[in-house]
Amino acid sequence: MDEMINVFQPSLGERELAAVAEVFAGNWIGRGRRTAEFEASFARHLGVGRDHVTSLNSCTEAAFLAVQLAGFGPGDEVVLPTVSFVGAANAIAACGARPVFCDVDPHTLNPTVADIEAVLTSRTKGVLILHYGGYPGDVARISALCARRRILLIEDAAIGVASRVDGRACGTFGDMGVWSFDHGKIVVTVDGGMLYVRDPELAARAPKLAFLGLEQRSGYDQAMRSRTRWWDFEVSSFSRRSVTNDVLAAVGSVQLSRLPEFIGRRRVIAGRYDRGLSGVDGLRCPPPLPPGHESSYYMYWIQVSPGIRDELARDLYERGIYTTFRYPLLHRVAAYGSAAALPNAEYAAARTLLLPMHQGLTDADADRVVTTVRECLGERLRAPAGWREAEV
Ligand SMILES: *Cc1c(COP(=O)(O)O)cnc(C)c1O
Protein backbone atom coordinates (compact mmCIF):
# COMPACT_ATOMS: atom_id res chain seq x y z
CA MET A 1 0.00 0.00 0.00
CA ASP A 2 1.11 3.53 -0.70
CA GLU A 3 2.02 5.66 2.26
CA MET A 4 -1.00 6.96 4.19
CA ILE A 5 -2.01 10.52 3.36
CA ASN A 6 -3.11 12.29 6.54
CA VAL A 7 -6.25 14.37 6.64
CA PHE A 8 -4.63 17.10 8.76
CA GLN A 9 -0.93 17.54 9.49
CA PRO A 10 1.27 20.25 11.00
CA SER A 11 4.41 21.66 9.38
CA LEU A 12 7.03 22.06 12.11
CA GLY A 13 10.68 22.20 11.19
CA GLU A 14 14.15 23.59 11.78
CA ARG A 15 13.04 27.16 12.33
CA GLU A 16 10.62 26.18 15.10
CA LEU A 17 13.30 23.95 16.69
CA ALA A 18 15.80 26.82 16.60
CA ALA A 19 13.26 29.13 18.25
CA VAL A 20 12.70 26.59 21.04
CA ALA A 21 16.46 26.14 21.50
CA GLU A 22 16.82 29.90 21.88
CA VAL A 23 14.18 29.98 24.63
CA PHE A 24 15.84 27.08 26.43
CA ALA A 25 19.20 28.88 26.26
CA GLY A 26 17.67 32.06 27.69
CA ASN A 27 16.39 30.01 30.63
CA TRP A 28 13.05 31.84 30.84
CA ILE A 29 10.52 29.30 29.69
CA GLY A 30 7.38 30.62 31.42
CA ARG A 31 5.05 33.34 30.24
CA GLY A 32 7.31 36.26 29.35
CA ARG A 33 8.73 38.29 26.49
CA ARG A 34 8.10 35.67 23.77
CA THR A 35 4.47 35.33 24.76
CA ALA A 36 4.08 39.12 24.63
CA GLU A 37 5.72 39.14 21.18
CA PHE A 38 3.44 36.38 19.91
CA GLU A 39 0.37 38.23 21.20
CA ALA A 40 1.54 41.46 19.54
CA SER A 41 2.16 39.70 16.20
CA PHE A 42 -1.19 37.98 16.35
CA ALA A 43 -2.97 41.26 17.15
CA ARG A 44 -1.21 42.86 14.14
CA HIS A 45 -2.26 39.91 11.98
CA LEU A 46 -5.88 40.48 13.06
CA GLY A 47 -5.65 44.25 12.76
CA VAL A 48 -6.67 44.87 16.39
CA GLY A 49 -5.06 46.59 19.36
CA ARG A 50 -2.46 44.60 21.21
CA ASP A 51 -4.33 44.86 24.54
CA HIS A 52 -7.33 43.06 23.09
CA VAL A 53 -5.68 39.63 22.75
CA THR A 54 -4.63 37.09 25.37
CA SER A 55 -2.73 33.95 24.55
CA LEU A 56 -3.96 30.80 26.30
CA ASN A 57 -3.23 27.10 26.63
CA SER A 58 -6.06 26.04 24.28
CA CYS A 59 -8.95 27.32 22.22
CA THR A 60 -11.37 25.36 24.38
CA GLU A 61 -10.08 27.30 27.39
CA ALA A 62 -10.50 30.51 25.38
CA ALA A 63 -14.14 29.57 24.76
CA PHE A 64 -14.69 28.90 28.47
CA LEU A 65 -13.13 32.30 29.33
CA ALA A 66 -15.19 34.05 26.66
CA VAL A 67 -18.38 32.61 28.13
CA GLN A 68 -17.23 33.64 31.62
CA LEU A 69 -16.48 37.20 30.44
CA ALA A 70 -19.84 37.32 28.66
CA GLY A 71 -21.49 36.53 31.98
CA PHE A 72 -23.87 33.90 30.61
CA GLY A 73 -25.63 31.86 33.30
CA PRO A 74 -28.73 29.92 34.27
CA GLY A 75 -31.85 31.04 32.37
CA ASP A 76 -29.82 32.34 29.42
CA GLU A 77 -29.88 30.79 25.97
CA VAL A 78 -26.86 30.81 23.68
CA VAL A 79 -27.39 29.90 20.03
CA LEU A 80 -24.81 27.89 18.13
CA PRO A 81 -24.89 25.80 14.97
CA THR A 82 -25.34 22.09 15.58
CA VAL A 83 -22.22 21.70 13.40
CA SER A 84 -19.93 23.04 16.13
CA PHE A 85 -16.94 21.94 18.15
CA VAL A 86 -18.01 20.11 21.30
CA GLY A 87 -15.87 22.38 23.53
CA ALA A 88 -17.93 25.44 22.52
CA ALA A 89 -21.16 23.76 23.60
CA ASN A 90 -19.52 22.53 26.80
CA ALA A 91 -18.43 26.09 27.66
CA ILE A 92 -22.05 27.26 27.35
CA ALA A 93 -23.54 24.32 29.25
CA ALA A 94 -20.89 24.45 32.00
CA CYS A 95 -21.88 27.99 33.04
CA GLY A 96 -25.50 26.92 33.43
CA ALA A 97 -26.78 28.54 30.22
CA ARG A 98 -28.67 26.48 27.65
CA PRO A 99 -27.02 25.72 24.31
CA VAL A 100 -29.68 26.19 21.60
CA PHE A 101 -28.70 24.54 18.34
CA CYS A 102 -29.54 26.04 14.97
CA ASP A 103 -29.48 24.60 11.46
CA VAL A 104 -26.81 25.27 8.82
CA ASP A 105 -26.63 25.71 5.07
CA PRO A 106 -26.61 22.19 3.59
CA HIS A 107 -23.56 22.83 1.41
CA THR A 108 -21.36 25.33 3.28
CA LEU A 109 -22.28 23.87 6.71
CA ASN A 110 -22.24 27.44 8.07
CA PRO A 111 -25.38 28.90 9.66
CA THR A 112 -27.26 31.54 7.67
CA VAL A 113 -28.83 34.63 9.23
CA ALA A 114 -32.23 32.94 8.81
CA ASP A 115 -31.01 29.80 10.63
CA ILE A 116 -30.00 31.92 13.61
CA GLU A 117 -33.07 34.15 13.56
CA ALA A 118 -35.29 31.07 13.60
CA VAL A 119 -34.18 30.10 17.11
CA LEU A 120 -33.79 33.51 18.81
CA THR A 121 -36.04 34.07 21.83
CA SER A 122 -36.31 36.73 24.52
CA ARG A 123 -33.88 34.61 26.57
CA THR A 124 -31.14 34.59 23.89
CA LYS A 125 -28.07 36.29 25.37
CA GLY A 126 -25.46 35.14 22.92
CA VAL A 127 -24.66 33.61 19.55
CA LEU A 128 -21.55 31.50 18.98
CA ILE A 129 -20.63 30.69 15.39
CA LEU A 130 -17.69 29.04 13.72
CA HIS A 131 -16.27 29.41 10.22
CA TYR A 132 -16.76 25.98 8.71
CA GLY A 133 -13.68 24.69 7.00
CA GLY A 134 -12.23 28.20 7.20
CA TYR A 135 -15.03 29.65 5.03
CA PRO A 136 -16.11 32.96 6.64
CA GLY A 137 -19.81 32.28 6.05
CA ASP A 138 -22.46 34.88 6.79
CA VAL A 139 -20.45 36.44 9.63
CA ALA A 140 -20.91 40.06 8.51
CA ARG A 141 -24.70 39.81 8.39
CA ILE A 142 -24.85 37.71 11.56
CA SER A 143 -22.82 40.30 13.46
CA ALA A 144 -25.18 43.02 12.20
CA LEU A 145 -28.17 40.97 13.37
CA CYS A 146 -26.61 40.46 16.82
CA ALA A 147 -25.76 44.16 17.13
CA ARG A 148 -29.33 45.10 16.19
CA ARG A 149 -30.82 42.66 18.70
CA ARG A 150 -28.20 43.49 21.38
CA ILE A 151 -27.03 39.91 21.53
CA LEU A 152 -23.39 39.14 22.20
CA LEU A 153 -21.54 37.41 19.35
CA ILE A 154 -18.62 35.03 19.96
CA GLU A 155 -16.74 33.66 16.97
CA ASP A 156 -15.05 30.30 17.21
CA ALA A 157 -12.36 31.17 14.67
CA ALA A 158 -10.32 28.10 15.67
CA ILE A 159 -9.97 27.11 12.03
CA GLY A 160 -10.35 30.58 10.54
CA VAL A 161 -6.88 31.90 11.33
CA ALA A 162 -6.50 33.53 7.90
CA SER A 163 -10.18 33.93 7.00
CA ARG A 164 -11.34 37.40 6.05
CA VAL A 165 -14.32 39.26 4.64
CA ASP A 166 -13.46 42.43 2.71
CA GLY A 167 -10.10 42.42 4.45
CA ARG A 168 -11.49 42.14 7.97
CA ALA A 169 -10.29 39.14 9.99
CA CYS A 170 -12.81 36.52 11.05
CA GLY A 171 -12.94 36.42 14.82
CA THR A 172 -13.05 40.23 15.02
CA PHE A 173 -16.59 40.73 13.71
CA GLY A 174 -18.14 39.73 17.01
CA ASP A 175 -17.58 40.82 20.61
CA MET A 176 -15.07 38.03 21.19
CA GLY A 177 -13.15 35.57 19.05
CA VAL A 178 -11.14 32.44 19.84
CA TRP A 179 -8.44 30.62 17.84
CA SER A 180 -6.74 27.25 18.19
CA PHE A 181 -3.09 26.34 17.72
CA ASP A 182 -3.44 22.65 18.60
CA HIS A 183 -1.56 19.90 16.77
CA GLY A 184 -4.16 19.61 14.01
CA LYS A 185 -4.62 23.26 13.09
CA ILE A 186 -2.81 25.51 10.59
CA VAL A 187 -0.72 27.64 12.95
CA VAL A 188 0.48 25.10 15.52
CA THR A 189 2.10 25.71 18.90
CA VAL A 190 1.60 22.02 19.83
CA ASP A 191 -1.24 23.21 22.08
CA GLY A 192 -2.50 26.74 22.46
CA GLY A 193 -5.21 29.25 21.83
CA MET A 194 -5.93 32.96 21.58
CA LEU A 195 -8.78 35.12 22.85
CA TYR A 196 -9.81 38.45 21.32
CA VAL A 197 -12.11 40.73 23.30
CA ARG A 198 -13.42 43.92 21.70
CA ASP A 199 -14.56 45.77 24.85
CA PRO A 200 -11.44 47.35 26.46
CA GLU A 201 -12.59 46.78 30.07
CA LEU A 202 -13.47 43.15 29.48
CA ALA A 203 -10.24 42.73 27.52
CA ALA A 204 -8.28 43.97 30.52
CA ARG A 205 -9.95 41.33 32.69
CA ALA A 206 -9.04 38.47 30.38
CA PRO A 207 -5.37 38.06 31.41
CA LYS A 208 -6.36 38.10 35.08
CA LEU A 209 -9.05 35.49 34.56
CA ALA A 210 -6.47 33.45 32.70
CA PHE A 211 -4.14 33.50 35.72
CA LEU A 212 -6.16 32.36 38.72
CA GLY A 213 -7.96 35.69 39.03
CA LEU A 214 -4.93 37.21 40.73
CA GLU A 215 -4.84 40.99 41.27
CA GLN A 216 -2.04 43.24 42.43
CA ARG A 217 0.77 41.01 41.37
CA SER A 218 3.71 43.36 41.50
CA GLY A 219 7.40 43.12 40.92
CA TYR A 220 10.08 43.90 43.48
CA ASP A 221 10.43 47.60 42.58
CA GLN A 222 6.73 48.32 42.70
CA ALA A 223 6.38 46.44 45.97
CA MET A 224 9.19 48.51 47.51
CA ARG A 225 7.56 51.76 46.42
CA SER A 226 4.20 50.80 47.83
CA ARG A 227 5.82 49.26 50.93
CA THR A 228 4.25 45.86 50.30
CA ARG A 229 5.72 42.43 49.78
CA TRP A 230 5.97 41.33 46.18
CA TRP A 231 4.45 37.94 46.88
CA ASP A 232 1.15 39.32 48.20
CA PHE A 233 -1.94 39.31 46.00
CA GLU A 234 -5.70 39.60 45.90
CA VAL A 235 -8.13 37.30 44.12
CA SER A 236 -10.86 38.88 41.99
CA SER A 237 -12.38 35.71 40.54
CA PHE A 238 -12.10 32.02 41.30
CA SER A 239 -10.57 31.09 38.01
CA ARG A 240 -8.15 28.61 36.58
CA ARG A 241 -4.64 28.78 35.23
CA SER A 242 -5.08 29.05 31.48
CA VAL A 243 -1.88 30.78 30.43
CA THR A 244 0.67 29.46 27.99
CA ASN A 245 4.45 29.84 27.99
CA ASP A 246 7.41 31.23 26.06
CA VAL A 247 8.44 27.89 24.57
CA LEU A 248 5.11 27.48 22.78
CA ALA A 249 4.87 31.19 21.96
CA ALA A 250 8.28 31.05 20.23
CA VAL A 251 6.98 28.22 18.06
CA GLY A 252 3.81 30.25 17.41
CA SER A 253 5.70 33.31 16.19
CA VAL A 254 7.61 31.25 13.63
CA GLN A 255 4.41 29.50 12.52
CA LEU A 256 2.57 32.81 12.16
CA SER A 257 5.35 34.14 9.94
CA ARG A 258 4.84 31.08 7.72
CA LEU A 259 1.06 31.49 7.54
CA PRO A 260 0.93 33.21 4.11
CA GLU A 261 3.03 30.38 2.67
CA PHE A 262 0.77 27.75 4.33
CA ILE A 263 -2.41 29.37 3.03
CA GLY A 264 -0.97 29.80 -0.45
CA ARG A 265 -0.19 26.10 -0.59
CA ARG A 266 -3.63 25.15 0.76
CA ARG A 267 -5.27 27.32 -1.90
CA VAL A 268 -3.33 25.46 -4.60
CA ILE A 269 -4.44 22.08 -3.21
CA ALA A 270 -8.08 23.24 -3.02
CA GLY A 271 -7.85 24.42 -6.63
CA ARG A 272 -6.43 21.04 -7.70
CA TYR A 273 -9.27 19.25 -5.93
CA ASP A 274 -11.82 21.62 -7.49
CA ARG A 275 -10.50 20.99 -10.99
CA GLY A 276 -10.14 17.24 -10.48
CA LEU A 277 -13.48 16.64 -8.81
CA SER A 278 -16.00 19.18 -10.04
CA GLY A 279 -18.43 17.67 -12.50
CA VAL A 280 -17.79 14.13 -11.27
CA ASP A 281 -21.06 12.20 -11.24
CA GLY A 282 -22.54 11.80 -7.76
CA LEU A 283 -20.14 14.23 -6.09
CA ARG A 284 -20.46 17.84 -5.01
CA CYS A 285 -17.50 20.14 -4.25
CA PRO A 286 -17.58 23.05 -1.76
CA PRO A 287 -19.50 26.07 -3.10
CA PRO A 288 -17.32 28.87 -4.52
CA LEU A 289 -16.30 31.62 -2.09
CA PRO A 290 -18.48 34.74 -2.35
CA PRO A 291 -16.70 37.90 -3.57
CA GLY A 292 -14.58 39.50 -0.81
CA HIS A 293 -14.38 36.25 1.18
CA GLU A 294 -10.99 34.68 1.91
CA SER A 295 -10.79 31.16 3.32
CA SER A 296 -8.12 29.58 5.49
CA TYR A 297 -8.72 26.39 3.50
CA TYR A 298 -8.62 24.38 6.69
CA MET A 299 -10.90 21.72 5.24
CA TYR A 300 -11.81 20.51 1.79
CA TRP A 301 -15.08 18.63 1.77
CA ILE A 302 -17.03 16.64 -0.75
CA GLN A 303 -20.66 15.57 -0.56
CA VAL A 304 -21.84 12.22 -1.88
CA SER A 305 -24.98 10.14 -1.58
CA PRO A 306 -25.66 9.22 2.07
CA GLY A 307 -25.96 5.55 1.09
CA ILE A 308 -22.28 5.34 0.15
CA ARG A 309 -20.50 8.02 2.21
CA ASP A 310 -19.29 5.69 4.98
CA GLU A 311 -18.25 2.97 2.50
CA LEU A 312 -16.38 5.54 0.45
CA ALA A 313 -14.50 6.63 3.58
CA ARG A 314 -13.54 3.01 4.28
CA ASP A 315 -12.50 2.35 0.66
CA LEU A 316 -10.29 5.46 0.72
CA TYR A 317 -8.72 4.41 4.01
CA GLU A 318 -7.93 0.98 2.56
CA ARG A 319 -6.13 2.76 -0.29
CA GLY A 320 -4.11 4.98 2.02
CA ILE A 321 -6.25 8.11 2.11
CA TYR A 322 -7.45 9.22 5.49
CA THR A 323 -10.72 11.17 5.55
CA THR A 324 -13.07 12.27 8.32
CA PHE A 325 -16.17 14.29 9.08
CA ARG A 326 -16.27 17.37 11.31
CA TYR A 327 -18.24 18.33 13.32
CA PRO A 328 -20.72 15.60 14.35
CA LEU A 329 -24.12 17.15 15.09
CA LEU A 330 -24.38 18.35 18.66
CA HIS A 331 -28.18 18.36 18.82
CA ARG A 332 -27.85 14.57 18.51
CA VAL A 333 -25.66 14.38 21.62
CA ALA A 334 -27.93 13.33 24.49
CA ALA A 335 -26.10 15.32 27.17
CA TYR A 336 -27.26 18.65 25.68
CA GLY A 337 -30.91 17.61 25.88
CA SER A 338 -31.89 19.11 22.53
CA ALA A 339 -35.10 18.10 20.75
CA ALA A 340 -34.44 20.30 17.71
CA ALA A 341 -35.19 19.13 14.16
CA LEU A 342 -32.44 20.50 11.92
CA PRO A 343 -32.91 18.94 8.47
CA ASN A 344 -30.19 20.76 6.52
CA ALA A 345 -27.55 19.82 9.07
CA GLU A 346 -28.77 16.20 8.95
CA TYR A 347 -28.53 16.33 5.17
CA ALA A 348 -24.96 17.64 5.33
CA ALA A 349 -23.79 15.32 8.10
CA ALA A 350 -24.95 12.26 6.13
CA ARG A 351 -23.17 13.29 2.92
CA THR A 352 -20.04 15.26 3.80
CA LEU A 353 -16.53 13.82 3.84
CA LEU A 354 -13.35 15.80 4.50
CA LEU A 355 -10.46 15.02 2.18
CA PRO A 356 -6.81 15.43 3.20
CA MET A 357 -5.97 19.14 3.44
CA HIS A 358 -2.68 20.49 4.70
CA GLN A 359 0.27 22.44 3.38
CA GLY A 360 2.50 19.34 3.42
CA LEU A 361 0.60 17.75 0.51
CA THR A 362 2.51 17.58 -2.76
CA ASP A 363 0.83 18.00 -6.14
CA ALA A 364 1.27 14.24 -6.59
CA ASP A 365 -0.52 13.60 -3.26
CA ALA A 366 -3.42 15.81 -4.34
CA ASP A 367 -3.62 14.07 -7.69
CA ARG A 368 -3.58 10.67 -5.97
CA VAL A 369 -6.47 11.80 -3.76
CA VAL A 370 -8.43 12.97 -6.81
CA THR A 371 -7.82 9.78 -8.79
CA THR A 372 -8.60 7.50 -5.85
CA VAL A 373 -11.80 9.37 -4.95
CA ARG A 374 -12.98 9.16 -8.55
CA GLU A 375 -12.16 5.43 -8.73
CA CYS A 376 -13.71 4.51 -5.39
CA LEU A 377 -16.81 6.60 -5.99
CA GLY A 378 -17.28 5.10 -9.45
CA GLU A 379 -16.98 1.57 -8.05
CA ARG A 380 -19.50 2.31 -5.31
CA LEU A 381 -21.99 3.90 -7.69
CA ARG A 382 -21.73 0.93 -10.08
CA ALA A 383 -22.03 -1.66 -7.27
CA PRO A 384 -25.38 -3.44 -7.66
CA ALA A 385 -26.19 -3.30 -3.95
CA GLY A 386 -25.09 0.29 -3.63
CA TRP A 387 -27.36 3.26 -3.56
CA ARG A 388 -27.63 5.37 -6.63
CA GLU A 389 -28.31 9.00 -6.16
CA ALA A 390 -26.44 11.10 -8.64
CA GLU A 391 -28.17 14.18 -7.29
CA VAL A 392 -26.41 15.13 -4.03
C1 LIG B 1 -9.87 22.40 17.24
C2 LIG B 1 -11.07 23.23 17.45
C3 LIG B 1 -11.33 23.83 18.68
C4 LIG B 1 -10.57 23.54 19.93
O1 LIG B 1 -9.26 23.88 19.92
P1 LIG B 1 -8.27 23.39 21.08
O2 LIG B 1 -7.15 24.36 20.99
O3 LIG B 1 -7.87 21.98 20.73
O4 LIG B 1 -9.00 23.45 22.38
C5 LIG B 1 -12.42 24.67 18.78
N1 LIG B 1 -13.22 24.91 17.73
C6 LIG B 1 -13.00 24.35 16.53
C7 LIG B 1 -13.91 24.70 15.40
C8 LIG B 1 -11.93 23.48 16.35
O5 LIG B 1 -11.74 22.88 15.16
Side-chain angles (χ1 to χ4, degrees), residues 45 134 157 159-164 169-170 179 186 259 263 294-297:
H45 163 70
I159 57 175
V161 67
S163 306
R164 291 178 190 271
C170 287
W179 290 262
I186 304 177
L259 182 59
I263 299 297
E294 293 171 57
S295 178
S296 300
Y297 301 100

Side-chain angles (χ1 to χ4, degrees), residues 209-279:
L209 279 190
F211 199 80
L212 303 157
L214 299 193
E215 296 279 346
Q216 292 184 9
R217 296 175 66 244
S218 51
Y220 177 84
D221 292 344
Q222 202 186 328
M224 287 298 108
R225 276 198 303 278
S226 56
R227 297 175 183 283
T228 56
R229 291 163 300 224
W230 58 90
W231 51 80
D232 290 337
F233 57 78
E234 284 300 328
V235 168
S236 61
S237 77
F238 304 133
S239 59
R240 302 168 298 269
R241 186 180 181 283
S242 321
V243 294
T244 181
N245 59 65
D246 272 19
V247 179
L248 302 188
V251 173
S253 290
V254 175
Q255 287 270 294
L256 192 58
S257 75
R258 298 175 65 189
L259 182 59
E261 162 209 331
F262 290 169
I263 299 297
R265 185 64 202 151
R266 285 170 176 268
R267 191 182 299 114
V268 168
I269 302 292
R272 252 183 137 80
Y273 285 164
D274 279 341
R275 281 192 303 282
L277 294 172
S278 59

Side-chain angles (χ1 to χ4, degrees), residues 57-61 84-85 130 156 158-159 179-182 185 191-193 298-299 326-327:
N57 54 14
S58 77
C59 177
T60 300
E61 189 57 30
S84 283
F85 179 69
L130 65 87
D156 178 352
I159 57 175
W179 290 262
S180 173
F181 311 126
D182 80 20
K185 298 306 198 298
D191 265 317
Y298 179 66
M299 297 168 180
R326 297 277 167 83
Y327 298 84

Side-chain angles (χ1 to χ4, degrees), residues 86-216:
V86 58
N90 282 356
I92 295 164
C95 75
R98 193 163 85 87
V100 174
F101 300 105
C102 74
D103 214 350
V104 296
D105 177 274
H107 303 301
T108 67
L109 285 81
N110 269 323
T112 63
V113 174
D115 290 327
I116 288 172
E117 255 180 325
V119 295
L120 295 182
T121 72
S122 57
R123 291 176 300 279
T124 309
K125 290 287 157 51
V127 168
L128 196 161
I129 58 167
L130 65 87
H131 308 281
Y132 188 78
Y135 272 50
D138 239 351
V139 61
R141 287 171 58 210
I142 291 169
S143 80
L145 167 73
C146 289
R148 205 163 58 240
R149 302 278 290 253
R150 298 185 189 285
I151 296 168
L152 201 112
L153 176 63
I154 300 175
E155 290 175 74
D156 178 352
I159 57 175
V161 67
S163 306
R164 291 178 190 271
V165 178
D166 295 331
R168 181 164 169 192
C170 287
T172 68
F173 281 83
D175 299 280
M176 299 185 217
V178 298
W179 290 262
S180 173
F181 311 126
D182 80 20
H183 60 274
K185 298 306 198 298
I186 304 177
V187 168
V188 167
T189 61
V190 186
D191 265 317
M194 195 71 80
L195 170 66
Y196 159 76
V197 182
R198 181 206 306 281
D199 179 81
E201 274 168 40
L202 280 187
R205 279 185 57 204
K208 293 174 183 169
L209 279 190
F211 199 80
L212 303 157
L214 299 193
E215 296 279 346
Q216 292 184 9

